[in-house]
Amino acid sequence: MRISLILPIVVLVMMVGACQASEDPTATLPPTEPRTAPPTTEPVTPTPEPTATPSVEPVTVAGMDPVMPFTNIARRALGDNAFVNNWHPGSAFFDFDRDGDMDFYVTQANEDSPFPESPGGPNLLFRNDGENVFTEVGVELGADLALSNSTAVAACDFDNDGYQDLYVAGYGLIGDELDYRSAVGDEALTNAIKDRMLRNVGGERFEDVTESAFGDDVNVQSAITIACGDVDNDGWLDVFVGNRLDQDFIRFDDPRHHGHYNRLYINNGDLTFIDVTESAGLKSPPIKMLSPDGEPMEWVDPDTGEMVRGYDASLRDANGNRIGDPTGQTLASMFFDHDSDGDLDLWLADDGDTLKVYRNDTHGGEVRFNSIEEEMGVDTVGAWMGFALGDYDSDEDLDIFITNIGYHFLLYDVPPVPSGDCAYSHAYGWGTCYHFLLRNDGVKEDAEMGMIGDFTDVAPETGVAISRAFPPESLDPNNILAQWEDAEQPTGLAAYDFGFGTAFFDYENDGDQDLYWLGAMGGRGEGPNGFKYTGSGRMLRSDGEGEFEDITVEAQLLDIQGVNYGVVDPNSPEFDRDRQRMDRKFHENGKGLAKCDLNGDGTVDLLGTNSNGPVFIAEKTVDFFRGPLFLWMSNATQGNWISMKLTGRQAIDGTGSNADGIGARAKVTADVDGSGELTTQVQDVLGSSTFLSMNCLDLHFGVGSAEKIDRIEVQWPSGVVQVSEDIEANQSVEIEEPAR
């Protein structure tokens, strides 16, 4: 039962420094990277549906603590809507009708595409009716956006009326060979590619306010990540849009690696926005593209006469328009006050370029960001894809996990030509394909930039107890090709596989942060990239001291349909990878990930999205499949907890912090292990969460054996610090920002 209450407070006002279904032959065929010739279509026999229901009893394996598995209820709860047609399916958890339980939104490709190879469907809004019953109400409430080729989605209260609105990203049409400049005068392409803002009208319907909100500044590029945050601390949420490139022109076998410029919109406080990207310093530079000997690879821009790295302005789309912009492809964005100075900094994950970190130096109403990734020493080129923010080492600050392609490049030849492929930059020493785990070491002084964040990549030295049933291929040195003989054997967390969406959360409520990610690329079967960049999800259980244990199989969180988890010990004579479908060759195309306590039972549930794609047999495309959703419900029973929803003062009387409390930092102090010693956990309210998708805004803390929380401290964006004491555990509470 969810209990809503307003906590008693001590106010300190001070200024302070975020199951298997038959494949659908009408699903979208996305291009591979690099793109291949048009496929032929033949019938294919679908994999039979599983008959067994996953056990909810603890899984016990010799040598490890019991694991309580998750249950995927997507097919049962969502029916045919458990499968989507989208190459970039995003999702967001939010309580759109404010009835006390979490609903969720899922994006699809556009429904009325003129191209038969790219059919889609309306976006899906699932109303939570309790008891794992979800009713799809997108069309009914005006949130379906059937003409939009939708990707990422963010649920944020832009007008401070207490109801979260939706910002839905649009993307170019797959297969039309047209980039965004060709959208001028093309209604179908404009409808597909244009971002939308949907105002939540009292939880009863959604109203498209895109034109009035953005006017001529509306984003019509290929957006793939959205971040909400109050960058100027005026109490109104602003929005950052990260753009990639039209899918038709994405190449990873060529040094010309175009992108689309990103955008930052400042909220005027009346549900209108102004684009301040360039004046704010957020117009990202050309990519870091070097030859094998370290020289910049450049092309002349005929309009300016300047040489530009990684960008060839002579490349044209089918209408003769220039393709892309001289910048990177941003896949994930995160507003996060990494230096604890009271404003939101911006982190960007670019595919085929460096990580980017922009320090917020806004002052006196002038929005300004400065690039500091080089000074921080994190300007490494990679296939950066998703962010997870959490205190992995329990030292009361927030660390960052960033997904990458993983070890897979070691299993293949060194790329023969310069390109945005992370394997190329890795081979020549200025990039990596390994995941990053950036430990937060506070701040440090830079001679030119002043105080900057101090983060150190500790992924190679972060230990992971190996899954015996599903170990990464990188741990077998015989798998690494001779061409990579100079590369060191990957170790620790850096030795793990492909990731897109990712999240830290406390799955068993023991007071530390566990980690999950999913991701893969390519189709099913023996075809282009089908086995090249496989990933079936990884669930890593924290030991509370900075190391992990791989419990993916035991937790039943493989991103594979129809897995038989009946035998999880590979030493058992009954263990059979093929029969049990417990092999990476059965991988789905994992993309987005969102976390939330969906049923209010005090444990965190997960929603994983998968893209559609081709099925290959003997290198030939024979069918298409829709991407399955995985709605993994937690069955964990151990550990006490506290969940909190923060409500900023703007929703109460028009003062103070934004209604969602985005940017607030919460600290929970309790005797987690029963030792009598208090520990403090920290989380931020993020309006930007991970690849394509957004977690719910409620904060969930596991507190182990503690039956009460000694202290909750909330640092609001307004500068108010609010303290509550002696709160009973195992309840959901609402905390309202006090008046100053």
Side-chain angles (χ1 to χ4, degrees):
M1 179 178 179
R2 299 179 71 92
I3 304 172
S4 181
L5 56 90
I6 309 301
L7 290 172
I9 56 174
V10 177
V11 181
L12 305 176
V13 180
M14 52 191 301
M15 298 307 296
V16 296
C19 321
Q20 173 76 33
S22 299
E23 283 81 3
D24 185 344
T26 66
T28 303
L29 171 65
T32 57
E33 300 177 2
R35 297 171 60 248
T36 59
T40 58
T41 303
E42 295 178 0
V44 64
T45 302
T47 304
E49 295 188 18
T51 57
T53 300
S55 171
V56 292
E57 295 297 319
V59 176
T60 56
V61 177
M64 64 187 300
D65 292 337
V67 176
M68 184 63 77
F70 287 72
T71 301
N72 174 29
I73 66 166
R75 283 292 301 278
R76 184 165 68 251
L78 309 180
D80 190 56
N81 286 325
F83 299 85
V84 295
N85 275 324
N86 200 346
W87 187 232
H88 298 104
S91 66
F93 282 116
F94 70 126
D95 182 5
F96 82 85
D97 50 6
R98 292 303 189 201
D99 65 349
D101 54 29
M102 285 293 166
D103 317 293
F104 60 97
Y105 190 83
V106 179
T107 66
Q108 294 208 81
N110 61 310
E111 187 175 52
D112 294 336
S113 167
F115 307 100
E117 67 271 26
S118 301
N123 293 345
L124 305 169
L125 175 60
F126 294 99
R127 186 184 65 213
N128 188 342
D129 292 329
E131 301 297 327
N132 292 337
V133 174
F134 301 92
T135 302
E136 205 289 305
V137 295
V139 173
E140 176 186 341
L141 300 188
D144 55 295
L145 296 179
L147 299 181
S148 173
N149 194 33
S150 302
T151 58
V153 56
C156 304
D157 187 354
F158 293 108
D159 56 0
N160 284 328
D161 67 348
Y163 291 88
Q164 288 170 267
D165 313 298
L166 292 173
Y167 189 105
V168 185
Y171 203 75
L173 292 173
I174 294 176
D176 67 348
E177 301 292 336
L178 298 175
D179 200 19
Y180 75 92
R181 291 180 177 88
S182 291
V184 177
D186 185 330
E187 184 178 3
L189 180 55
T190 299
N191 281 329
I193 200 173
K194 180 174 65 175
D195 293 359
R196 303 298 206 286
M197 178 170 282
L198 300 180
R199 177 174 175 259
N200 185 341
V201 184
E204 297 179 350
R205 62 183 176 89
F206 287 84
E207 174 189 7
D208 190 336
V209 296
T210 308
E211 298 304 322
S212 61
F214 299 99
D216 293 339
D217 283 337
V218 64
N219 187 60
V220 290
Q221 290 149 291
S222 291
I224 203 166
T225 177
I226 311 299
C228 309
D230 183 3
V231 302
D232 52 2
N233 282 338
D234 66 350
W236 298 89
L237 289 177
D238 313 301
V239 60
F240 177 85
V241 180
N243 292 310
R244 194 180 189 190
L245 181 70
D246 187 288
Q247 193 71 28
D248 292 344
F249 308 109
I250 294 174
R251 300 292 297 265
F252 287 91
D253 61 348
D254 192 294
R256 296 171 294 186
H257 190 68
H258 300 189
H260 284 166
Y261 285 127
N262 301 322
R263 291 186 180 233
L264 174 65
Y265 296 102
I266 295 299
N267 191 334
N268 295 318
D270 57 359
L271 210 58
T272 67
F273 296 79
I274 183 172
D275 183 347
V276 299
T277 311
E278 194 159 359
S279 63
L282 290 177
K283 185 177 180 180
S284 292
I287 66 170
K288 183 176 182 179
M289 180 57 65
L290 306 177
S291 68
D293 59 5
E295 294 298 318
M297 301 196 69
E298 301 175 318
W299 284 261
V300 65
D301 187 326
D303 293 341
T304 65
E306 298 179 352
M307 301 298 291
V308 185
R309 291 193 317 272
Y311 180 77
D312 182 357
S314 70
L315 294 181
R316 303 286 160 161
D317 70 5
N319 281 355
N321 288 311
R322 184 186 292 203
I323 295 171
D325 303 310
T327 190
Q329 299 178 17
T330 298
L331 293 193
S333 55
M334 178 174 65
F335 280 126
F336 158 51
D337 183 8
H338 70 252
D339 50 9
S340 300
D341 66 349
D343 53 32
L344 293 175
D345 310 298
L346 178 63
W347 288 65
L348 304 181
D350 281 12
D351 189 357
D353 198 17
T354 61
L355 278 175
K356 293 178 175 61
V357 184
Y358 292 94
R359 186 182 64 198
N360 190 340
D361 290 332
T362 297
H363 180 72
E366 181 181 352
V367 177
R368 181 68 190 176
F369 287 82
N370 283 299
S371 173
I372 59 171
E373 66 272 3
E374 184 176 352
E375 290 80 4
M376 289 176 62
V378 297
D379 58 330
T380 304
V381 171
W384 305 116
M385 297 181 182
F387 291 114
L389 185 68
D391 184 7
Y392 89 97
D393 52 0
S394 303
D395 65 348
E396 300 183 32
D397 58 24
L398 293 167
D399 314 291
I400 307 173
F401 177 70
I402 313 171
T403 50
N404 206 336
I405 272 183
Y407 65 78
H408 306 279
F409 70 100
L410 294 172
L411 313 184
Y412 301 93
D413 293 338
V414 175
V417 296
S419 68
D421 188 340
C422 64
Y424 169 74
S425 58
H426 191 113
Y428 292 99
W430 39 279
T432 183
C433 290
Y434 298 149
H435 305 308
F436 262 13
L437 178 60
L438 297 181
R439 185 186 65 212
N440 188 341
D441 294 326
V443 294
K444 59 185 178 182
E445 181 81 20
D446 179 78
E448 294 186 3
M449 296 302 298
M451 299 304 295
I452 60 175
D454 187 4
F455 288 81
T456 303
D457 177 35
V458 295
E461 63 210 57
T462 299
V464 180
I466 303 166
S467 168
R468 288 173 288 180
F470 212 86
E473 293 175 293
S474 62
L475 298 183
D476 182 351
N478 296 320
N479 289 330
I480 299 175
L481 296 189
Q483 288 89 335
W484 294 98
E485 60 185 357
D486 293 334
E488 295 182 2
Q489 183 81 18
T491 60
L493 187 53
Y496 278 75
D497 32 19
F498 199 118
F500 275 121
T502 180
F504 279 114
F505 68 103
D506 187 350
Y507 114 92
E508 77 268 74
N509 286 335
D510 63 350
D512 54 41
Q513 293 289 291
D514 310 297
L515 176 64
Y516 184 76
W517 74 84
L518 80 170
M521 188 169 64
R524 296 177 181 163
E526 301 172 356
N529 291 342
F531 291 156
K532 191 169 185 178
Y533 298 118
T534 60
S536 301
R538 291 288 176 181
M539 178 68 205
L540 305 185
R541 179 166 62 184
S542 172
D543 68 355
E545 298 180 356
E547 296 197 341
F548 296 93
E549 176 184 26
D550 187 346
I551 61 169
T552 314
V553 171
E554 293 78 10
Q556 299 184 8
L557 284 176
L558 287 172
D559 189 38
I560 299 173
Q561 295 185 78
V563 179
N564 182 341
Y565 291 100
V567 181
V568 297
D569 184 353
N571 295 320
S572 169
E574 297 178 358
F575 184 81
D576 186 316
R577 292 190 188 278
D578 280 348
R579 180 180 59 81
Q580 295 180 236
R581 293 178 57 83
M582 201 178 292
D583 191 286
R584 56 184 48 84
K585 67 185 178 183
F586 299 114
H587 76 93
E588 295 295 334
N589 288 336
K591 293 297 185 290
L593 180 74
K595 66 176 181 178
C596 194
D597 181 359
L598 187 57
N599 57 3
D601 67 350
T603 61
V604 176
D605 311 303
L606 302 173
L607 174 61
T609 69
N610 289 275
S611 63
N612 54 7
V615 176
F616 298 99
I617 295 180
E619 297 286 332
K620 186 176 183 180
T621 305
V622 297
D623 204 357
F624 311 113
F625 62 87
R626 294 186 296 158
L629 301 177
F630 284 81
L631 189 54
W632 285 298
M633 305 300 291
S634 174
N635 295 301
T637 56
Q638 69 273 40
N640 298 310
W641 56 277
I642 189 77
S643 178
M644 60 185 75
K645 174 188 180 297
L646 304 187
T647 300
R649 197 77 197 167
Q650 284 284 347
I652 302 168
D653 60 10
T655 66
S657 305
N658 65 87
D660 286 333
I662 289 173
R665 179 164 296 172
K667 297 182 178 181
V668 168
T669 301
D671 179 8
V672 171
D673 60 6
S675 67
E677 296 186 9
L678 299 180
T679 60
T680 298
Q681 302 176 60
V682 58
Q683 292 183 39
D684 279 10
V685 181
L686 291 181
S688 45
S689 300
T690 184
F691 181 69
L692 289 170
S693 299
M694 180 172 162
N695 303 325
C696 64
L697 297 178
D698 290 11
L699 300 181
H700 179 92
F701 292 85
V703 293
S705 61
E707 295 182 355
K708 74 170 185 177
I709 288 82
D710 289 76
R711 174 185 171 98
I712 295 176
E713 177 182 300
V714 178
Q715 301 171 359
W716 293 91
S718 64
V720 170
V721 174
Q722 179 179 7
V723 175
S724 306
E725 297 179 335
D726 294 332
I727 304 98
E728 295 297 320
N730 302 321
Q731 61 173 323
S732 296
V733 299
E734 181 177 345
I735 302 179
E736 292 184 352
E737 180 183 14
R740 298 186 59 143

